[in-house]
Amino acid sequence: DAMVIQNPRYQVTQFGKPVTLSCSQTLNHNVMYWYQQKSSQAPKLLFHYYDKDFNNEADTPDNFQSRRPNTSFCFLDIRSPGLGDAAMYLCATSREWGGGTDTQYFGPGTRLTVL
Amino acid sequence: AQTVTQSQPEMSVQEAETVTLSCTYDTSESDYYLFWYKQPPSRQMILVIRQEAYKQQNATENRFSVNFQKAAKSFSLKISDSQLGDAAMYFCAYRSSSSGDKLTFGTGTRLAVRP
C-alpha cells in the first residue's frame, strides 16, 4: 500500500549527463513537491506543483526542471548534474496547498550519485 | 524569513527511557503550524506529531508529546518509553498559515536508542 513511490531508489550518473528521477502517488493529492536533502542537512524545497501549476523556489538552480504530466506522476530533471548535485531527492505530496494541518506524505527518496 | 533551529545534532537514549528533543523557531507571525517528522535510515520521512499555534494544549500521540511554548518560540518533542524502532533522524518543521504548505525544516537530530 505504498503511497508515494520514487524510482529508482539509487541513481548514479556522470558529471554533465542528464538524469530524470521519478515520483508517483496513489493518494490523488493535488500538490507534489521535490526536495533536495544533502548529507546531514535539512530538506530544501526545490519546487512544487499545485495540480498543473508549477511553482519554483527563488533559489532553485535553472539546472533543475520538473514535469507533471498527470495527477499521479511528477518528474525531476537535472539537465547537467554537477558534483554538488549529489544528494537525496525527496518527493512529497499533500492534499491541498495551505490546508491547515494538512500533512505532507514523503516518498523514500532517490539517492543520486554524480561521478 | 522563518528559521528553525535544532541545537542537538545527536542524542542517545536507553531503551524504555524518556528523551526530549529541542527545537526553537523564529517568526513574526502569530498563526502557524509546527511539526515533528521522523526519518528512519533508508526509509521515508513520516509525520510524528503536529501542533497548531493557536492551540494552547500540547499535542500528544501515544508515546510522543510536545512541549509548545509559544512565547519562547520553543517546540520540543518528548519520546516516552523509547523503543529501538524510534532510532531515526528527527526534523522539526514550521509552516506559516500564509505560505501555503511550504515547510521550513530544522537541520535534524539523530536519535540513537541503546538496547
Side-chain angles (χ1 to χ4, degrees):
Chain A
D1 59 343
M3 296 183 289
V4 182
I5 304 156
Q6 291 189 244
N7 286 307
R9 294 290 308 276
Y10 300 91
Q11 176 74 56
V12 180
T13 191
Q14 292 181 333
F15 184 94
K17 184 175 181 181
V19 65
T20 295
L21 308 183
S22 169
C23 177
S24 63
Q25 53 133 338
T26 60
L27 298 162
N28 203 35
H29 282 173
N30 286 316
V31 191
M32 295 187 77
Y33 310 79
W34 279 104
Y35 290 87
Q36 181 192 63
Q37 185 182 21
K38 295 189 176 181
S39 182
S40 303
Q41 294 185 20
K44 177 181 178 295
L45 182 65
L46 296 173
F47 27 62
H48 76 272
Y49 272 96
Y50 181 82
D51 196 13
K52 289 190 179 294
D53 185 22
F54 176 73
N55 297 271
N56 201 33
E57 292 299 301
D59 56 354
T60 298
D62 292 340
N63 198 26
F64 292 87
Q65 303 289 322
S66 186
R67 297 169 284 134
R68 189 179 185 187
N70 52 53
T71 299
S72 301
F73 284 87
C74 194
F75 300 98
L76 170 63
D77 301 308
I78 308 177
R79 292 192 296 187
S80 182
L83 298 179
D85 296 327
M88 177 75 85
Y89 289 88
L90 302 175
C91 176
T93 74
S94 64
R95 189 168 47 243
E96 290 295 336
W97 179 253
T101 55
D102 197 15
T103 300
Q104 287 191 22
Y105 293 83
F106 285 82
T110 294
R111 183 166 297 282
L112 178 68
T113 301
V114 181
L115 301 177
Chain B
Q2 295 86 8
T3 58
V4 178
T5 302
Q6 294 179 250
S7 58
Q8 306 154 316
E10 295 182 353
M11 292 282 286
S12 178
V13 63
Q14 191 75 36
E15 195 176 6
E17 298 293 312
T18 295
V19 65
T20 298
L21 309 184
S22 301
C23 173
T24 58
Y25 57 94
D26 186 24
T27 184
S28 58
E29 301 186 338
S30 59
D31 192 14
Y32 51 87
Y33 307 89
L34 296 164
F35 305 83
W36 278 99
Y37 279 88
K38 170 185 177 182
Q39 188 178 37
S42 301
R43 296 180 62 187
Q44 63 247 62
M45 188 143 40
I46 58 172
L47 179 69
V48 175
I49 198 165
R50 57 191 163 198
Q51 174 84 39
E52 297 97 318
Y54 63 85
K55 288 188 176 179
Q56 292 187 338
Q57 186 173 7
N58 289 324
T60 299
E61 290 285 344
N62 299 314
R63 299 183 295 107
F64 298 87
S65 62
V66 299
N67 183 5
F68 174 47
Q69 301 289 329
K70 191 172 184 179
K73 296 179 183 174
S74 171
F75 182 61
S76 60
L77 174 69
K78 186 171 83 170
I79 307 174
S80 304
D81 185 25
S82 297
Q83 301 175 0
L84 295 178
D86 295 333
M89 183 72 91
Y90 287 81
F91 290 96
C92 178
Y94 168 100
R95 190 176 81 217
S96 163
S97 63
S98 62
S99 67
D101 263 19
K102 181 176 179 179
L103 290 172
T104 299
F105 285 92
T107 51
T109 296
R110 185 173 301 281
L111 177 66
V113 181
R114 304 185 304 273

